[in-house]
Amino acid sequence: MTAGRAQEGTSVLPGNLHVAEDCRAVSEVLARIGDKWTVLVVSTLGDGPKRFNELRKALGSISQRMLTLTLRALERDGLVTRTVFPTIPPRVDYALTKLGGAKVVLATVTNAPAMAATIGGLGARGELVVLGAPMDPMEVSGVQLLMTSRSVVGHPSGTSKDSEDTMRFAALTGIRPMIETMPLADGAKAFDRMMSGAARFRVVLTMS
């Protein structure tokens, strides 16, 4: 047997094997939805909302602790919605999350966390278009994008031609901006509000 040949029945991986970033993202999703109980819970909820005990009865051999952990993980990842009804005793239903949400979010803020927070509001195949230019990195998990085929893209803007086209389109279609107004004397406060991402969605200074 030569040094480069593996022993019969043994699988040998090359020493320089590496996992690309895309593969890591896919692996993360498969790790989330690939285990036995997650698949069975999602499949069972495909028939409609169910209570905890109904789920446990339908799944058979799952323990209470394992079902609780599985439901919490699915709820955390946005795949399952938990609804509490104000009855006595309280009634809790679990259901698959509906594929609603925005088709496009135009992010003009310059606050990376504020931009990242909008991803959860995107629907299936929704797109976050980054128009602002935050200096900090924007944190996005692979699960957020891959589960519902969401995407994040950048688009340069700000030229006078862009402004003219935008104003013309807004006048043609009746679009009005959502802004906040503050007096010129509060310019510093307005700037801080914009930079924090708290403004909805632009602050306009007034002379009066």
Side-chain angles (χ1 to χ4, degrees), residues 46-59:
D47 297 330
K50 285 181 172 53
R51 301 183 188 182
F52 186 93
N53 288 334
E54 290 176 329
L55 269 173
R56 190 176 178 189
K57 181 179 180 180
L59 295 171

Side-chain angles (χ1 to χ4, degrees), residues 26-135:
V26 172
S27 297
E28 185 178 352
V29 173
L30 292 176
R32 174 78 287 275
I33 65 174
D35 69 274
K36 169 186 175 182
W37 292 120
T38 295
V39 172
L40 291 176
V41 167
V42 170
S43 176
T44 303
L45 289 177
D47 297 330
K50 285 181 172 53
R51 301 183 188 182
F52 186 93
N53 288 334
E54 290 176 329
L55 269 173
R56 190 176 178 189
K57 181 179 180 180
L59 295 171
S61 60
I62 189 171
S63 67
Q64 180 174 334
R65 179 177 180 277
M66 179 56 67
L67 180 55
T68 299
L69 293 175
T70 302
L71 287 170
R72 284 178 181 174
L74 288 169
E75 186 179 0
R76 179 197 63 209
D77 293 337
L79 299 177
V80 166
T81 301
R82 177 176 178 268
T83 304
V84 180
F85 295 90
T87 60
I88 300 176
R91 172 184 165 185
V92 180
D93 280 4
Y94 295 90
L96 295 180
T97 302
K98 295 180 180 180
L99 295 179
K103 292 183 177 179
V104 177
V105 171
L106 297 177
T108 60
V109 298
T110 54
N111 183 280
M115 285 185 177
T118 66
I119 294 176
L122 291 172
R125 296 180 178 83
E127 188 174 71
L128 170 62
V129 181
V130 178
L131 300 179
M135 300 305 295

Side-chain angles (χ1 to χ4, degrees), residues 119 122-123 125-129 144-145 148-153:
I119 294 176
L122 291 172
R125 296 180 178 83
E127 188 174 71
L128 170 62
V129 181
Q144 285 180 296
L145 302 179
T148 50
S149 299
R150 295 164 174 160
S151 61
V152 179
V153 298

